[in-house]
Amino acid sequence: MKCSLSSTRKNVVFGRGNPNSKLFVVGEGPGQQEDEQGVAFVGRAGKMLDSAFLSVGIDTNKDCYISNIVKCRPPGNRKPHKNEVSECIPWLEKQIGLIKPKVIVLAGSTAVESYLQVAEPISKIRGKWIIKDDIKYMPIFHPSYLLRNPSKEKGKPKWLTWQDLKKVKEELNLT
Ligand code: URA
């Protein structure tokens, strides 16, 4: 057994959405609902993600493919450990290699740190494009953080995420 998360999870959660799209979204790891159903981002955070994307005209089931850094739920929704990330990340690399997205949205600091080895606080790097190997990466706040910060006031996390996603939508129209 390569990773001990397989002994506590119910389902492996590969992802959901349209594998032929130009946009790929990366979260952290499945939560309880995702583990039960075997589908990524179907719980409360997923609903928040869906509505944030829909507010800029992106339908998460049609216009992007969504997956996570780790494919099995960490017990109690803790952050995945370093060894769990390193065992699992080749699957994500395979998914990205097959789908060949032009734009990748990295939701939350675990996604940014694990995939790009950028360890800056998400509040500093969100909203700024990172370009690597012909792919444009957009770091955004994780939707669970938006659930804890529900204000839509200008300058607050939800408003900032809306600005970030507008950039993503614009970029997709160009590609
Ligand atoms: N949070 C994540 O990061 N991913 C999911 O699939 C669900 C919640």
Side-chain angles (χ1 to χ4, degrees), residues 5 11 28 31 36 38 40 46 59 67-68 71 80 82 101 104 110-111 118 129 132 145-147 155 163 168 171-172:
L5 291 182
N11 283 297
E28 179 173 303
E36 301 273 344
D59 178 329
S67 189
N68 285 299
K71 309 301 192 236
K82 275 216 162 76
I104 299 183
T110 300
V118 172
W129 290 111
K132 203 177 156 205
Y145 182 72
L146 303 182
L147 286 171
Q163 310 310 307
V168 170
E171 185 61 35
L172 289 171

Side-chain angles (χ1 to χ4, degrees), residues 27-31 34 40-41 45 68 142:
E28 179 173 303
E34 290 76 19
F41 276 108
N68 285 299
H142 192 279

Side-chain angles (χ1 to χ4, degrees), residues 20-24 63 100-104 129 134-136 167-175:
N20 297 312
S21 58
K22 294 182 285 186
L23 175 61
F24 198 111
D63 306 322
K100 298 188 177 57
K102 297 267 193 301
V103 175
I104 299 183
W129 290 111
D134 265 355
I135 297 181
K136 291 188 93 170
K167 291 184 192 170
V168 170
K169 172 72 174 164
E170 254 170 50
E171 185 61 35
L172 289 171
N173 290 343
L174 297 174
T175 56

Side-chain angles (χ1 to χ4, degrees), residues 2-174:
K2 275 189 162 184
C3 174
S4 62
L5 291 182
S6 62
S7 59
T8 50
R9 56 109 164 116
K10 286 202 178 103
N11 283 297
V12 179
V13 179
F14 271 104
R16 70 164 162 97
N18 176 2
N20 297 312
S21 58
K22 294 182 285 186
L23 175 61
F24 198 111
V25 181
V26 182
E28 179 173 303
Q32 187 179 2
Q33 289 296 318
E34 290 76 19
D35 185 40
E36 301 273 344
Q37 297 182 41
V39 184
F41 276 108
V42 287
R44 282 183 73 224
K47 299 215 160 57
M48 171 59 75
L49 184 92
D50 287 352
S51 75
F53 275 70
L54 205 56
S55 73
V56 299
I58 299 174
D59 178 329
T60 59
N61 284 316
K62 280 199 210 136
D63 306 322
C64 62
Y65 190 82
I66 306 183
S67 189
N68 285 299
I69 294 290
V70 294
K71 309 301 192 236
C72 297
R73 181 192 182 204
N77 296 348
R78 63 160 169 76
K79 272 184 188 285
H81 294 152
K82 275 216 162 76
N83 63 313
E84 295 159 353
V85 169
S86 56
E87 288 297 350
C88 211
I89 221 152
W91 293 106
L92 179 62
E93 286 166 352
K94 264 256 157 58
Q95 288 176 303
I96 291 173
L98 286 169
I99 291 176
K100 298 188 177 57
K102 297 267 193 301
V103 175
I104 299 183
V105 169
L106 298 167
S109 56
T110 300
V112 185
E113 205 173 325
S114 307
Y115 201 72
L116 293 180
Q117 283 77 49
V118 172
E120 302 223 30
I122 192 74
S123 54
K124 268 205 172 163
I125 51 168
R126 54 134 287 275
K128 295 179 196 150
W129 290 111
I130 298 170
I131 302 170
K132 203 177 156 205
D133 301 332
D134 265 355
I135 297 181
K136 291 188 93 170
Y137 294 86
M138 175 58 73
I140 64 167
F141 287 121
H142 192 279
S144 305
Y145 182 72
L146 303 182
L147 286 171
R148 298 194 297 273
N149 294 274
S151 169
K152 288 184 175 169
E153 222 176 283
K154 189 173 178 183
K156 300 281 190 196
K158 258 189 157 174
W159 182 87
L160 293 170
T161 303
W162 188 44
Q163 310 310 307
D164 303 347
L165 293 177
K166 281 197 278 191
K167 291 184 192 170
V168 170
K169 172 72 174 164
E170 254 170 50
E171 185 61 35
L172 289 171
N173 290 343
L174 297 174

